[in-house]
Amino acid sequence: SKRSSGINAEWPLRPGISYKMFVCLLFLQAALQLSWAKYEAECTMKLHNTEIEIGKVVFKSEEGFQSIQANLEGDPEVIKEGKYGLKVYENSVLVNDCSAASTGAEEIEVGTVQAGDRGEINLKMSITIDPLGSPHSFLLSEPAISCAPIKVKIYADGREEPYVARKRRESQRKKEKLKEKKGKKEKKRKRKERKERKDSTAKKSTAKKCTKKRELKGKCTNAPTLEALKDIFYVIEKKPDCYSPKSDTYKITMNSPKFQLDGEDSIVGRAVVLGDGQERIACCNLV
């Protein structure tokens, strides 16, 4: 007979594993999954004491890796070109008041960021956590951008198109074809033109309509139409907008996490502030 117990006698356990051990393994697996969980906090920055949004700041943390990314852009008169500090403070801000009285003491210094000439800030910081490694960091350089002048076709109606030069062989063939067409009938055409000039004053009232056929024969000329003018263009050399937005990309190795997104030391709910050392420019609360 089977013993009566709270466990189904047909419970599929492997040989040598008791029910209690099985439950312990489940709790251990859940604890490991919790420690490997991904955490993320972000906020939208606004200028000090305003509702003007300038971009987002994102903090991420997972097993052995953390990252901080900021993509901000504002009025160049407010976010002027130069260096700025990005910091996390003790308190959250109220009504977007970025002052020290609102934020409290400094908690974490994220790092120094560069603002470009157009008021943009782009930060990408990748942090590898290695308890036994040697702490180090380096800044990736910005790629070089080629900025040579380009040729552009400008049409009468204001349109612009890139100009692609034709090959020399094609242009030479066209010139040869034109010479062939003009060669034999050149003298005859000139004689007809002289004759038409003499008779033009006497035959103005009875002049024939200048058709395309007569125009091609050189007997008359028509004023260019608007449709024809649309296809007329001239070529200029134009310098393109070669501005390269400022961007700071850091690769860092640390022995311990730079910040926490869970637990008592979590920075979630605290203020992130952008400042230039003298003034606080913008801030937001991490959520």
Side-chain angles (χ1 to χ4, degrees):
S1 64
K2 296 180 180 179
R3 292 184 179 180
S4 176
S5 64
I7 304 172
N8 190 343
E10 296 180 358
W11 182 264
L13 293 176
R14 297 172 63 182
I17 299 180
S18 66
Y19 178 74
K20 290 184 178 181
M21 185 179 296
F22 180 74
V23 174
C24 289
L25 288 173
L26 287 177
F27 277 112
L28 179 60
Q29 183 181 8
L32 288 173
Q33 288 178 347
L34 184 62
S35 64
W36 295 339
K38 295 181 180 180
Y39 296 94
E40 182 174 334
E42 65 178 43
C43 61
T44 301
M45 280 217 163
K46 298 179 181 179
L47 295 178
H48 176 51
N49 281 334
T50 74
E51 291 297 321
I52 301 174
E53 297 181 358
I54 62 170
K56 282 189 175 183
V57 180
V58 182
F59 290 74
K60 293 183 181 180
S61 182
E62 57 183 293
E63 183 70 14
F65 179 79
Q66 292 185 324
S67 67
I68 304 170
Q69 186 165 344
N71 298 107
L72 312 174
E73 186 174 3
D75 186 349
E77 294 296 323
V78 179
I79 304 179
K80 299 179 181 179
E81 185 178 12
K83 293 183 178 181
Y84 292 82
L86 197 62
K87 301 177 182 180
V88 178
Y89 285 82
E90 182 181 9
N91 303 327
S92 59
V93 295
L94 299 173
V95 199
N96 219 58
D97 177 12
C98 305
S99 65
S102 175
T103 61
E106 180 185 335
E107 195 70 18
I108 297 172
E109 183 171 354
V110 177
T112 302
V113 293
Q114 292 273 355
D117 185 54
R118 299 182 182 179
E120 79 284 356
I121 294 174
N122 296 291
L123 170 68
K124 188 175 181 180
M125 185 179 292
S126 300
I127 305 165
T128 300
I129 302 166
D130 184 0
L132 302 178
S134 175
H136 63 274
S137 66
F138 60 91
L139 174 65
L140 298 181
S141 60
E142 297 178 6
I145 296 177
S146 175
C147 196
I150 58 174
K151 289 185 177 181
V152 179
K153 292 192 291 186
I154 307 294
Y155 289 88
D157 58 1
R159 287 178 295 135
E160 293 187 13
E161 291 180 2
Y163 174 75
V164 180
R166 296 176 179 177
K167 295 181 180 179
R168 290 184 179 179
R169 289 182 181 178
E170 293 178 356
S171 61
Q172 187 65 29
R173 285 174 186 172
K174 288 187 176 182
K175 287 180 181 179
E176 289 174 358
K177 287 181 180 179
L178 289 173
K179 284 181 180 180
E180 289 177 3
K181 289 180 180 179
K182 292 180 180 180
K184 294 180 180 180
K185 297 182 179 181
E186 185 68 23
K187 293 180 181 180
K188 188 177 179 180
R189 186 182 66 79
K190 288 182 179 180
R191 285 196 298 267
K192 286 183 178 180
E193 283 182 358
R194 285 195 295 268
K195 187 178 179 180
E196 286 178 1
R197 287 171 189 169
K198 290 178 182 179
D199 299 337
S200 61
T201 54
K203 298 180 179 180
K204 277 184 180 179
S205 60
T206 59
K208 294 182 179 180
K209 186 178 180 180
C210 189
T211 62
K212 288 184 178 180
K213 187 175 181 179
R214 295 186 72 233
E215 188 175 14
L216 288 172
K217 288 182 178 181
K219 292 182 179 181
C220 60
T221 56
N222 281 318
T225 61
L226 292 175
E227 288 294 327
L229 288 173
K230 287 182 180 179
D231 296 328
I232 297 175
F233 64 88
Y234 59 94
V235 180
I236 64 168
E237 279 195 347
K238 191 175 182 180
K239 189 174 181 180
D241 184 5
C242 298
Y243 181 76
S244 176
K246 284 289 184 181
S247 179
D248 297 319
T249 303
Y250 290 93
K251 296 286 185 180
I252 301 174
T253 298
M254 302 180 69
N255 297 132
S256 59
K258 187 176 182 67
F259 55 86
Q260 298 289 341
L261 294 180
D262 66 324
E264 295 181 358
D265 297 327
S266 173
I267 62 173
V268 178
R270 298 179 180 178
V272 183
V273 178
L274 176 73
D276 61 1
Q278 297 179 350
E279 296 182 3
R280 298 190 176 195
I281 309 299
C283 59
C284 59
N285 295 324
L286 286 169
V287 293

